[in-house]
Amino acid sequence: MGGAVSAGEDNDELIDNLKEAQYIRTELVEQAFRAVDRADYYLEEFRENAYKDLAWKHGNIHLSAPCIYSEVMEALELQPGLSFLNLGSGTGYLSSMVGLILGPFGVNHGVELHSDVIEYAKQKLDFFIRTSSSFDKFDFCEPSFVPGNCLELSPGCSQYDRVYCGAGVQKQHEDYMKSLLKVGGILVMPLEEKLTKITRTGPSAWETKKILAVSFAPLIQPCHSESGKSRLVQLPPPAVRSLQDLARLAIRRAIKRALQQEVVGARGAPRSSPRARRRPRRRRMETAVFLDKEVFASRVSGPAGDSSCEDAAEERPEPPANALREKVLRLPLPAALKGYVLYYREG
């Protein structure tokens, strides 16, 4: 079974296509997708496929299709300051986008079965923090990745505001997944071949919505040790930010405000940015995703709505990508302190 897919020439065009097809529907989700270049999470020899609406797998490394991540991000209804648990965190691509929305006072944890994938995710996270031109535009909630099987979380672990599972959940594990949620929290997971959103409305009350027809590889069942005992996964405890870290955050925010005022003063009244003025090309986006029988997705319900493009609203002008870095480097501060304020990013 096949179907047409809509590819982009770069990350921005991929996002334009996802917006036009109504997979991306909110500004926060769009900003996160534009800030994290999908191609950076591919091995170099496969980057040419990064902007296709296709899943990718190489060994234990796996990325779901962009349409899947779009639906997941929208369904999670992320807000600053929430706690997030990513079960099967993989490359860290989704966790990094989530971290841009959660901000500095959120919690961003991931559990990954394969140790080599955790190392890969840490490398990609470090690369994003050091080199991304978008990093300084956000206050980031850095993800923490823990090795282990997500079905063996310690009974004493905290509950979370938002939970996503990136593998097919068997019906017998549904209650286990629900138990990870706080009241008011949202769980998104593949359940019975549907991407499913479950909201915990009370201690024993739930609302369930089927989002998308999918076929994910199932969760891997735990392997017990020779003693017959399971290997419990210990998640990081809630962390309180240090005074030093809070000071860094305050300094960066103050500099960002000053830079914004400088740009507005220099340019006068706000004008439309190049991205805002761009009129996406009309194209029909049908999605079919195949990967060794691992992932197939097609929209199952809900009208796409009118995807016609209205004239973009005017936006505030933004400082150049590296303006914050340049400003910090000009400050009369010790080099070590400048490095700390900049998260030791590369030029």
Side-chain angles (χ1 to χ4, degrees), residues 95-96 99-100 103-104 125 128-129 135 138-143 241:
S95 293
S96 291
L100 296 175
L125 174 62
F128 172 72
I129 292 174
F135 180 81
F138 298 84
D139 293 323
F140 189 46
C141 181
E142 184 173 335
R241 282 186 171 266

Side-chain angles (χ1 to χ4, degrees), residues 104-132:
F105 302 109
V107 174
N108 194 355
H109 294 161
V111 179
E112 171 56 44
L113 182 63
H114 304 288
S115 57
D116 60 323
V117 178
I118 287 186
E119 289 306 311
Y120 186 86
K122 289 179 178 178
Q123 292 171 14
K124 295 303 181 182
L125 174 62
D126 180 63
F127 181 81
F128 172 72
I129 292 174
R130 289 188 294 105
T131 66
S132 172

Side-chain angles (χ1 to χ4, degrees), residues 212-274:
L212 196 70
V214 294
S215 179
F216 275 63
L219 283 172
I220 296 176
Q221 300 302 304
C223 295
H224 296 289
S225 63
E226 293 180 1
S227 63
K229 296 181 180 179
S230 61
R231 304 176 181 88
L232 292 180
V233 177
Q234 302 292 334
L235 292 168
V240 178
R241 282 186 171 266
S242 68
L243 182 59
Q244 184 180 21
D245 201 19
L246 292 172
R248 171 169 60 181
L249 178 62
I251 291 170
R252 289 173 63 89
R253 285 182 171 178
I255 294 174
K256 287 179 186 179
R257 286 195 298 268
L259 288 170
Q260 186 67 54
Q261 291 170 358
E262 289 177 8
V263 172
V264 172
R267 298 185 183 180
R271 299 179 298 175
S272 298
S273 66

Side-chain angles (χ1 to χ4, degrees), residues 6-73:
S6 185
E9 295 180 2
D10 57 23
N11 196 65
D12 276 325
E13 189 170 318
L14 172 64
I15 307 314
D16 288 342
N17 295 341
L18 290 168
K19 282 188 64 182
E20 188 173 359
Q22 293 291 301
Y23 284 105
I24 293 178
R25 300 178 290 277
T26 59
E27 184 178 357
L28 275 179
V29 171
E30 178 186 354
Q31 289 174 350
F33 268 87
R34 292 198 189 278
V36 183
D37 194 324
R38 180 176 169 88
D40 290 340
Y41 290 79
Y42 275 65
L43 293 170
E44 187 64 34
E45 58 266 37
F46 300 104
R47 283 177 66 95
E48 64 183 19
N49 297 317
Y51 305 123
K52 298 176 181 178
D53 192 36
L54 295 169
W56 172 66
K57 182 176 174 60
H58 183 79
N60 291 326
I61 302 169
H62 173 255
L63 278 167
S64 292
C67 68
I68 298 293
Y69 286 133
S70 302
E71 290 287 9
V72 168
M73 290 281 285

Side-chain angles (χ1 to χ4, degrees), residues 308-339:
S308 60
C309 177
E310 303 293 337
D311 289 336
E314 289 190 342
E315 297 180 356
R316 292 188 305 171
E318 294 186 357
N322 292 318
L324 185 144
R325 174 182 174 80
E326 294 170 1
K327 191 82 168 180
V328 170
L329 292 177
R330 291 197 299 268
L331 294 175
L333 299 172
L337 181 53
K338 292 179 183 179

